[in-house]
Amino acid sequence: KNDNVLFSVSDCEATWHTDGASKDKVYDCVGLLCINQSGVGGKSKITNACNAFDSVDHILPKFMMHELTRPIPRDILENGKGRGNDNVGTQLSRTKSILRLRISYNSYPIYVTKKGRIRFRYMRHWIETAHEKVRWRLPTMLRIAMDVLDDTLTEGCCFHERLERGDILICNNSCVAHGRDAFQDVPGQPSRHLVRAWMQCQGVDLYEASKR
């Protein structure tokens, strides 16, 4: 994948993730409406990230579990169309030196647990590209922890089907991970087209409120 290109505008596999890579913006729910499905591939999948947390917590020792609960830098995504952006401000903000500072700030945990609540925010690709851009080696313990997490999410997959025209998929973006298989459009047939909606369902950030 090229820099600053969202998986939603590509035809490659989108591994387990939640939507939104910004430290300062969190989406409660994500919805997908299928307008046209691809000719080949493109199955959607979902899994319970809370169950995965419990399972991984029993597998990993505490010092490795710490890798999933400490702040981790994430890549910075603008409009998701790559570097071919005519906006001068965006071009300047994505120069290497400034982008490194922005990525360093854009750090948050994969899992946050507080007072019986859990928030899951994950997309391994953006974690790996963030480390590459700030020239930090991906820690071995983090890589192993994410390997175990990915395997556990896959084992717990509860839905892996093609969305057909008119189908709607709505996920809790704080405790459910979703993904999509690679796909290929067939010449002469309508291209794959899904409409996405991000929703804020709560007026107060329960995690921030619990800190008061």
Side-chain angles (χ1 to χ4, degrees):
K1 286 180 83 277
N2 295 324
D3 174 55
N4 192 31
V5 177
L6 299 176
F7 280 88
S8 58
V9 296
S10 73
D11 57 7
C12 60
E13 178 188 11
T15 56
W16 293 118
H17 67 282
T18 54
D19 279 12
S22 171
K23 174 182 179 180
D24 300 320
K25 183 180 291 185
V26 180
Y27 305 114
D28 295 330
C29 294
V30 58
L32 289 171
L33 166 64
C34 180
I35 305 299
N36 290 309
Q37 186 50 270
S38 59
V40 179
K43 286 185 178 181
S44 297
K45 55 185 179 181
I46 58 176
T47 188
N48 189 319
C50 296
N51 290 345
F53 178 85
D54 290 338
S55 297
V56 172
D57 193 33
H58 283 88
I59 296 171
L60 295 179
K62 288 185 178 180
F63 71 89
M64 290 187 66
M65 195 66 191
H66 173 70
E67 295 296 316
L68 302 180
T69 57
R70 68 171 177 84
I72 300 171
R74 317 296 174 96
D75 205 346
I76 302 293
L77 307 176
E78 248 72 54
N79 57 11
K81 296 180 181 178
R83 288 178 175 165
N85 192 319
D86 295 331
N87 186 306
V88 175
T90 299
Q91 291 178 350
L92 290 174
S93 69
R94 295 195 71 82
T95 57
K96 290 183 179 180
S97 58
I98 295 178
L99 190 58
R100 289 190 193 107
L101 293 175
R102 296 176 67 198
I103 288 174
S104 297
Y105 167 78
N106 195 43
S107 300
Y108 49 88
I110 294 174
Y111 279 105
V112 174
T113 58
K114 186 152 182 91
K115 295 184 178 180
R117 300 186 182 276
I118 190 168
R119 172 178 285 158
F120 176 71
R121 302 191 67 192
Y122 184 58
M123 172 52 119
R124 181 168 183 159
H125 178 78
W126 302 134
I127 294 174
E128 293 175 341
T129 56
H131 281 77
E132 291 174 3
K133 290 176 182 177
V134 296
R135 297 180 180 176
W136 294 344
R137 184 179 63 83
L138 188 71
T140 300
M141 293 297 101
L142 174 58
R143 177 179 56 78
I144 295 173
M146 290 194 297
D147 286 345
V148 174
L149 174 60
D150 289 339
D151 289 345
T152 305
L153 290 170
T154 299
E155 290 173 3
C157 180
C158 58
F159 177 86
H160 190 196
E161 301 290 342
R162 283 167 54 90
L163 296 181
E164 300 299 336
R165 183 179 178 87
D167 287 347
I168 298 176
L169 179 66
I170 298 177
C171 296
N172 184 320
N173 201 47
S174 290
C175 61
V176 172
H178 62 281
R180 185 207 67 215
D181 294 347
F183 68 89
Q184 181 178 358
D185 290 324
V186 175
Q189 296 183 9
S191 299
R192 186 178 190 271
H193 183 193
L194 271 69
V195 176
R196 177 176 55 193
W198 291 318
M199 292 165 275
Q200 298 298 126
C201 300
Q202 55 191 35
V204 177
D205 189 322
L206 299 178
Y207 298 90
E208 293 299 321
S210 66
K211 298 177 183 178
R212 299 171 186 168

